[in-house]
Amino acid sequence: MAEMLTLSRHILQRARHHREASGDFNLLMSHIATATKVVSRMVAKAGLLNVLGKTGDTNVQGEKVTKLDIIANDMLQAMLDDLPMVSATASEEDVSFVPTSAGATSGRYLIAFDPLDGSSNIDANVSIGTIFSVRRRANVDCNPTEADFLGAGNELVAAGYAVYGSSTMFVYTTGQGVDGFTLDPGVGEFVLSHPNMRLPDTCKCLSVNHANRLRWMGGTRAYVDHVVSRAEPRYSATTGRYIGSLVADFHRNLIYGGIFLYPADSVTPGGKLRLLFEAQPLAMIIEQAGGAASDGVRRILDIQPDGLHARAPLIIGNTVDVRLYEQMVSVHD
Ligand code: AHM
Ligand code: MG
């Protein structure tokens, strides 16, 4: 029987070759993974637990909050709250960061997360997920501040996501490539199923909300027209694929090859997606898988957020296509 490499064992093995090689870091990653398993169970049973639908509230992003958003948010925060190595968490659902009970002053790590990305799709049973990133605090033995979270993405120690699809997967990087794990529901463990994930060379999927076309700027129109007109032979098999759930769109493109765009447009000139909670972690993962991420001009990982909820245009996927997009922007916008 083939060896079963669980996520916990994998984290331990990777940690031996990593400068974060401490039991602290391993425990922290295990807690995040456990929280995603609990969220996965909640998502799978959502229709039976009367937790579908909206709460009636609007979050800091101005979006309708779903009940599962809150349940997932509370779960992640609770799982991280008693870890002494975690100083604070920041969530897409909360206005401010939250210091932990156990490690606020002494903890070395800060965790940012989007507890339930794609949550507007929940009621239709579409794949959704959790996105997270881990960074180190510059100073310890003091209270955490918002500024501690506002580093560029190139300072991240780890990033990952769980996608709650036909199976639940956990994908993560600590800067040594990307590995994917599938939840074995019988055993309750994430098991290595996609070692060393690499983005295929071909841009198979073009993922953009075409209903926004009239809002797009010239560069985005020029790029999308270039692809759909099959201007180059490498686009002969490219197909449009857009779920409207970033983590699911990203995961599919990582498997098949492709580009995802949520560009600047006339309604959201600063972009819609969030740097800290969505763009930075996914940018770290795509670069580790051989791809690229840009806001149309700058590398996502070089952008310094100016607030917890800062947004950015996000163009992410095959490097050759991200570069072509940037070129179109430089000519047309
Ligand atoms: P959220 O569900 O965490 O609020 O994230 C926003 C979502 C992304 O998952 C997705 O890529 C995007 O919004 C879809 O936006 P639109 O419906 O405008 O295409
Ligand atoms: Mg999101």
Side-chain angles (χ1 to χ4, degrees):
M1 187 181 155
E3 187 194 21
M4 186 165 116
L5 187 56
T6 63
L7 176 61
S8 323
R9 280 183 64 207
H10 189 267
I11 292 169
L12 275 171
Q13 287 183 2
R14 276 290 153 98
R16 283 192 211 122
H17 309 286
H18 197 264
R19 73 187 185 93
E20 298 295 322
S22 69
D24 279 3
F25 181 72
N26 304 340
L27 190 60
L28 148 62
M29 290 294 289
S30 299
H31 271 61
I32 294 174
T34 302
T36 66
K37 285 186 214 171
V38 180
V39 175
S40 170
R41 265 180 67 77
M42 300 296 296
V43 169
K45 294 191 294 182
L48 302 172
L49 297 178
N50 193 26
V51 291
L52 292 176
K54 315 269 190 298
T55 62
D57 294 332
T58 302
N59 70 8
V60 57
Q61 318 286 345
E63 296 152 350
K64 300 257 184 301
V65 176
T66 66
K67 294 177 197 169
L68 270 172
D69 277 323
I70 299 306
I71 292 171
N73 197 37
D74 291 351
M75 175 56 55
L76 276 149
Q77 246 153 29
M79 288 294 292
L80 297 168
D81 188 58
D82 55 2
L83 290 179
M85 72 294 281
V86 178
S87 171
T89 62
S91 164
E92 187 185 298
E93 295 302 327
D94 294 323
V95 178
S96 308
F97 66 94
V98 180
T100 64
S101 305
T105 52
S106 56
R108 282 195 295 151
Y109 295 106
L110 301 162
I111 320 295
F113 52 81
D114 178 352
L116 214 48
D117 175 65
S119 58
S120 65
N121 295 290
I122 287 174
D123 292 359
N125 201 8
V126 168
S127 296
I128 53 182
T130 297
I131 308 174
F132 69 91
S133 65
V134 182
R135 69 174 60 241
R136 268 154 62 103
R137 278 210 293 168
N139 302 306
V140 285
D141 295 328
C142 54
N143 286 325
T145 65
E146 178 168 322
D148 291 338
F149 281 94
L150 304 184
N154 53 35
E155 295 163 7
L156 292 180
V157 168
Y161 61 83
V163 59
Y164 313 117
S166 44
S167 58
T168 292
M169 279 195 69
F170 187 93
V171 174
Y172 88 107
T173 182
T174 53
Q176 304 166 80
V178 180
D179 294 286
F181 300 77
T182 301
L183 183 63
D184 180 332
V187 185
E189 289 275 9
F190 283 114
V191 179
L192 183 64
S193 52
H194 295 62
N196 193 22
M197 297 175 84
R198 302 291 298 171
L199 188 62
D201 287 340
T202 315
C203 185
K204 182 88 193 300
C205 304
L206 171 67
S207 311
V208 63
N209 186 343
H210 282 270
N212 292 341
R213 184 180 173 85
L214 296 182
R215 301 164 18 176
W216 293 346
M217 306 203 206
T220 303
R221 288 188 198 206
Y223 173 76
V224 172
D225 286 350
H226 184 82
V227 176
V228 301
S229 66
R230 317 258 187 244
E232 296 177 55
R234 67 196 177 89
Y235 295 125
S236 60
T238 303
T239 185
R241 290 286 183 270
Y242 188 75
I243 298 169
S245 172
L246 173 63
V247 66
D249 277 309
F250 178 89
H251 183 70
R252 183 207 49 240
N253 289 4
L254 179 58
I255 302 281
Y256 295 145
I259 185 166
F260 173 95
L261 307 94
Y262 212 108
D265 63 32
S266 58
V267 174
T268 54
K272 171 181 177 181
L273 299 173
R274 279 99 341 177
L275 255 177
L276 239 68
F277 307 116
E278 292 161 325
Q280 283 187 343
L282 297 185
M284 182 178 184
I285 294 168
I286 206 78
E287 287 200 3
Q288 286 293 316
S294 167
D295 70 350
V297 179
R298 297 166 294 178
R299 177 182 176 229
I300 289 287
L301 292 180
D302 289 337
I303 302 173
Q304 180 116 24
D306 59 9
L308 284 183
H309 296 280
R311 297 171 190 257
L314 179 63
I315 318 302
I316 189 164
N318 287 96
T319 304
V320 62
D321 282 276
V322 173
R323 298 291 164 255
L324 180 59
Y325 179 88
E326 287 174 331
Q327 201 184 318
M328 299 276 191
V329 165
S330 72
V331 171
H332 297 277
D333 293 344

